[in-house]
Amino acid sequence: MRLRDISASEAATRLIKGDVNIDLGVAAFGIQSALPDVQHVLYQLYGDYVLLDNTSPADFRVAVQRPKSMRRWYKPQIHFLLDDFVPFLPLPRSQAYPVLEWGMNWCMASHMHKYLLLHGAVLEKDGKAVIFPAPPGSGKSTLTAYLAHSGWRLLSDEMTVIDLQSGLVHPFVRPICLKNNSIDLVKSWFPQVTISNIARDTNKGDVAHVKPPIASVDNIKQTAQVMAVVLPKYTPDVTLDIYSLSKADAFQALSDNAFNDSVLGADGFLALQRLVENTAAVEIHYNDLAEVLAFLNEGQFSA
Amino acid sequence: MSTTVKYSAHLVKLLSGDVPQSISLLDWEYLIRIARDASVLPRVAYALDTEGDSLPEYARTHLISAKYHAKLLAQQVQFEATEFKRILTKFYHEDVYYLKGAAYTLSGCDAGIGRVFSDIDMLVSKGNLREIEARLSVYAWFSQPNDDYDDMYYRQWAHEIPPLKHSGRGTILDVHHNLVPIISGKAPEISDFTKGARTLACGARVLAPEAMILHSAVHLFYQEEYHHGFRDLSDLHLLFSEFGTEQAFWDALFILAQKTGFGLELALALRYTTTLFDTPIPPAELQKSQIWLPSRPKLVVYDWVYKRVLQPHHKLCHVSGLTLANMMALVRGHWIKMPVHILLMHTAAKGYRNVLKWVAGKGVNKPDSAKNNAPPGP
């Protein structure tokens, strides 16, 4: 059964009780929230996901709630919980939904060490996956949204999940988090896609989330071989420049963007090493996504 | 069977390496959450076979992850101990002793395997404190920004200075000069505890088994807050089980407890490890410790409180009366540490700040909170 197979009001009732357990492939998230806006956006964005029954365990039981302080009467706040643990200080009430998404990423990054976890998007075409590791401001999420609606399968916008044993990448399909101007851009390119309402003035600026394509959600257990690592860098005055990276630079770039390589220790190092040795790595400077798409579709990487 | 008994008993079983019969995947979820909350998940992971295929994949995933954490922690404490040796031996010619979690882990005893700790505890001589703190600051160990009241509390009344944090690695160091607060009037002659201390292969020093265990017991029953009570009692269970095979150990332990005035804490530690973990304590020793137990009516109250606060506190364990028991343990923890006039002042100061937190929300008045608050993401 998928989330959209139950009504929005039933979903809301079950979210209040924490009785919504969503299968995200590499992890199942049990979610609780009594906040109507969180319920609404979650129902809107996760409708295509499979809802697990109440005999299935969740890997993480998370919640977004109002803290119990007098503050709830003026400038209200919300906080994120993993089980009973509150990992961050509270944030303004308006950011409730983004905080749920970021909190879920935090759960993975701090507790799921069966995998090497990288901060980066990953998309696949014809069985070959490309990782886009990138710090904020590189245009990664805009690029991800563009590719995900141009024939590439979205595996993840935020977190690349690499199997320590096989080296394959596992999907961790989630809504794509757009910031500031890219929200309107994506709306204008793909008027048919569902985008959440905008949470203003977060510590990342204005953010909104894009519903992932149903084909990506349906293939949530379908792993892929990594073909290339592409470091994107949005550069307003460059159409498309491609620089090939040395193995050492590629390693450094991946390591800089790894969430848990230090926790994994030697195993993390070896996983990164294998990834770098078996893939081509380039840095691209671009201002034209159509050019990037054409380049990626050709798939001409030299290892 | 009530759920209380069920999950606590299951967790105790898992800690000794046995997987309870016919537990469902949902039971595994609950046990892992309870264990994580009680800070014993890595300890469970090391007790079980996570390599083979006897455990369900769901459990293996979380246990393997917990092991990675513990391995990293063990590496970090090893690294920091080497670093302290390098930094401190230049000017400090007395011994540095590691305590609690850091000591268990460094010495490689059973209680150190998969032990979770959030800071490194170190014992130095009181006369050198100022200089040690000053020297450590040169190597980027700084006092955490806390308010004037906290600072005064630590420096005048406590047995340690305010925690130091390494500004690069984020490791927290607690530098102690005694084992219990000076203000309690029960602070022991420290040389009684450091007698017989051992030097490990890495050069770090730890207390002799009897002193290590007595300190563990004192620390547990001097606490105000028992969120980690179950983990700490599990430490004691492992320590007693490992060292309690030699009569010489028991003799030394009882002499030390007698001499330093911590007989009650030892008796309570023996009483509750036996009750909750079924620890193999020689009956004669258990018998002998009973002279230190309080009078019957008082003991009934102690039992009521400690049999609750020393359980895992997770809501899934449904420990009845836990809130009241926690409150009573809190009061006792303060009571034994401070004379009444100081206790009243302390309660007033802390109470005022809790009201502030309740009114204004957590994190208020902390200029750097926004920065430390950022969840991972773009």
Side-chain angles (χ1 to χ4, degrees):
Chain A
M1 188 169 62
R2 299 177 192 244
L3 181 59
R4 67 171 134 84
D5 295 333
I6 62 175
S7 69
S9 67
E10 191 188 342
T13 313
R14 287 177 58 170
L15 278 166
I16 292 171
K17 289 188 288 186
D19 179 22
V20 167
N21 188 3
I22 298 176
D23 185 2
L24 296 180
V26 287
F29 277 80
I31 300 171
Q32 192 278 334
S33 189
L35 307 173
D37 50 324
V38 171
Q39 294 165 355
H40 172 75
V41 178
L42 193 85
Y43 187 72
Q44 188 183 28
L45 300 181
Y46 282 88
D48 296 333
Y49 288 76
V50 170
L51 210 50
L52 294 167
D53 64 32
N54 56 15
T55 61
S56 304
D59 289 285
F60 302 105
R61 296 277 173 187
V62 301
V64 181
Q65 294 172 352
R66 292 165 169 237
K68 289 188 182 69
S69 79
M70 288 293 283
R71 190 65 187 261
R72 63 177 169 277
W73 304 114
Y74 72 104
K75 285 195 194 165
Q77 296 178 311
I78 41 94
H79 64 188
F80 174 84
L81 291 98
L82 167 59
D83 207 354
D84 279 347
F85 178 65
V86 180
F88 329 113
L89 291 171
L91 284 164
R93 173 68 184 82
S94 61
Q95 301 179 20
Y97 187 74
V99 166
L100 173 63
E101 288 285 337
W102 298 330
M104 287 164 73
N105 291 338
W106 174 86
C107 290
M108 289 289 288
S110 26
H111 293 287
M112 191 52 86
H113 306 306
K114 196 166 78 168
Y115 307 104
L116 172 67
L117 303 171
L118 306 171
H119 182 196
V122 56
L123 295 106
E124 173 259 348
K125 197 175 184 184
D126 305 328
K128 304 252 169 81
V130 176
I131 300 176
F132 301 90
S138 56
K140 169 184 63 85
S141 291
T142 318
L143 173 63
T144 304
Y146 185 83
L147 293 175
H149 290 95
S150 308
W152 284 68
R153 172 167 73 110
L154 173 72
L155 277 80
S156 179
D157 162 45
E158 198 55 49
M159 188 176 283
T160 299
V161 178
I162 308 275
D163 196 295
L164 288 177
Q165 259 78 50
S166 66
L168 295 173
V169 56
H170 289 259
F172 185 47
V173 182
R174 304 273 303 286
I176 300 166
C177 178
L178 295 177
K179 272 83 63 183
N180 304 318
N181 298 335
S182 62
I183 302 169
D184 284 335
L185 274 179
V186 171
K187 272 186 187 164
S188 67
W189 294 332
F190 309 108
Q192 77 284 6
V193 303
T194 306
I195 302 185
S196 73
N197 49 3
I198 298 172
R200 306 241 175 237
D201 303 322
T202 74
N203 56 6
K204 297 154 206 275
D206 293 349
V207 305
H209 285 84
V210 184
K211 184 180 183 182
I214 185 164
S216 293
V217 178
D218 282 345
N219 289 297
I220 211 158
K221 312 256 173 176
Q222 189 65 49
T223 55
Q225 188 86 45
V226 184
M227 165 179 65
V229 174
V230 174
L231 264 63
K233 203 168 187 183
Y234 177 75
T235 316
D237 52 353
V238 177
T239 313
L240 180 66
D241 281 349
I242 301 158
Y243 304 90
S244 125
L245 289 180
S246 71
K247 296 292 178 198
D249 286 343
F251 185 98
Q252 189 64 50
L254 287 170
S255 171
D256 287 346
N257 285 288
F259 284 118
N260 67 340
D261 62 334
S262 61
V263 179
L264 293 174
D267 293 345
F269 184 91
L270 292 174
L272 281 173
Q273 185 191 28
R274 170 158 69 175
L275 186 57
V276 167
E277 280 175 354
N278 295 324
T279 54
V282 296
E283 181 171 318
I284 56 170
H285 295 191
Y286 66 96
N287 68 6
D288 186 346
L289 288 169
E291 291 284 325
V292 177
L293 177 68
F295 163 67
L296 292 172
N297 281 345
E298 275 174 39
Q300 294 301 313
F301 295 99
S302 55
Chain B
M1 208 192 308
S2 80
T3 48
T4 318
V5 180
K6 184 171 145 191
Y7 287 119
S8 292
H10 279 359
L11 192 52
V12 168
K13 247 186 153 172
L14 288 182
L15 281 166
S16 62
D18 299 327
V19 178
Q21 291 287 310
S22 68
I23 55 170
S24 68
L25 282 180
L26 209 55
D27 286 333
W28 270 112
E29 181 201 309
Y30 291 177
L31 283 164
I32 285 165
R33 285 163 64 193
I34 294 166
R36 183 183 285 146
D37 182 62
S39 298
V40 294
L41 191 56
R43 185 168 276 174
V44 170
Y46 277 103
L48 301 175
D49 170 27
T50 53
E51 303 304 319
D53 50 10
S54 59
L55 298 173
E57 191 55 28
Y58 172 85
R60 266 167 42 84
T61 296
H62 291 282
L63 296 172
I64 288 171
S65 298
K67 269 185 166 179
Y68 274 115
H69 267 296
K71 220 190 276 175
L72 177 67
L73 204 54
Q75 265 174 15
Q76 282 172 339
V77 70
Q78 196 78 51
F79 173 86
E80 298 294 4
T82 313
E83 190 67 2
F84 287 131
K85 195 169 170 57
R86 190 175 68 82
I87 298 171
L88 295 176
T89 41
K90 287 181 189 162
F91 70 97
Y92 179 67
H93 303 294
E94 291 171 59
D95 288 319
V96 170
Y97 303 94
Y98 291 90
L99 304 171
K100 295 191 281 179
Y104 309 150
T105 304
L106 285 168
S107 67
C109 67
D110 292 347
I113 299 168
R115 173 61 149 76
V116 177
F117 47 94
S118 52
D119 41 31
I120 296 175
D121 292 297
M122 171 193 279
L123 177 70
V124 299
S125 73
K126 193 174 183 183
N128 298 82
L129 266 183
R130 289 271 169 203
E131 193 179 359
I132 289 177
E133 196 180 348
R135 286 297 187 108
L136 283 175
S137 74
V138 175
Y139 292 90
W141 293 92
F142 298 114
S143 214
Q144 304 259 56
N146 47 19
D147 58 36
D148 292 348
Y149 178 79
D150 270 350
D151 201 65
M152 185 281 293
Y153 173 83
Y154 272 107
R155 292 188 190 278
Q156 283 197 15
W157 298 334
H159 51 304
E160 57 188 320
I161 59 173
L164 303 177
K165 183 176 180 179
H166 190 277
S167 58
R169 300 188 290 275
T171 317
I172 311 275
L173 173 69
D174 275 349
V175 184
H176 300 246
H177 54 84
N178 205 304
L179 303 179
V180 297
I182 305 304
I183 192 79
S184 69
K186 291 164 192 147
E189 192 60 57
I190 242 2
S191 58
D192 290 334
F193 269 88
T194 54
K195 211 177 111 200
R198 300 168 284 156
T199 305
L200 304 169
C202 65
R205 281 174 75 75
V206 297
L207 304 181
E210 65 276 9
M212 197 187 247
I213 290 181
L214 189 61
H215 175 223
S216 183
V218 170
H219 187 260
L220 179 56
F221 293 103
Y222 264 69
Q223 237 148 264
E224 300 99 19
E225 207 279 318
Y226 278 83
H227 199 89
H228 289 124
F230 179 78
R231 192 265 322 266
D232 294 351
L233 194 70
S234 157
D235 286 347
L236 280 161
H237 162 71
L238 292 167
L239 291 164
F240 282 134
S241 306
E242 184 174 359
F243 295 108
T245 50
E246 311 253 344
Q247 187 55 44
F249 159 79
W250 290 107
D251 296 342
L253 178 61
F254 276 74
I255 291 170
L256 183 65
Q258 178 73 50
K259 190 170 179 197
T260 53
F262 292 123
L264 171 63
E265 288 71 20
L266 174 57
L268 293 176
L270 291 168
R271 184 174 181 85
Y272 300 123
T273 46
T274 335
T275 317
L276 267 86
F277 286 90
D278 204 13
T279 312
I281 309 286
E285 308 301 332
L286 198 58
Q287 180 70 37
K288 222 164 56 181
S289 74
Q290 289 186 358
I291 52 157
W292 285 314
L293 287 175
S295 62
R296 193 71 218 165
K298 210 170 165 185
L299 188 60
V300 171
V301 179
Y302 272 43
D303 281 351
W304 191 87
V305 171
Y306 286 115
K307 282 179 186 173
R308 283 169 173 77
V309 299
L310 295 174
Q311 302 260 356
H313 288 195
H314 197 281
K315 58 183 181 247
L316 287 165
C317 286
H318 301 289
V319 179
S320 67
L322 181 63
T323 312
L324 179 61
N326 269 329
M327 180 69 85
M328 290 167 77
L330 180 87
V331 172
R332 179 181 182 265
H334 278 106
W335 191 258
I336 53 175
K337 273 194 230 176
M338 300 179 194
V340 175
H341 66 285
I342 291 195
L343 180 58
L344 288 174
M345 248 170 72
H346 181 69
T347 314
K350 286 281 181 191
Y352 165 71
R353 286 188 304 176
N354 280 337
V355 169
L356 196 70
K357 223 186 263 174
W358 180 68
V359 172
K362 246 190 209 167
V364 68
N365 299 335
K366 280 204 174 172
D368 60 342
S369 64
K371 209 168 50 203
N372 296 336
N373 200 16

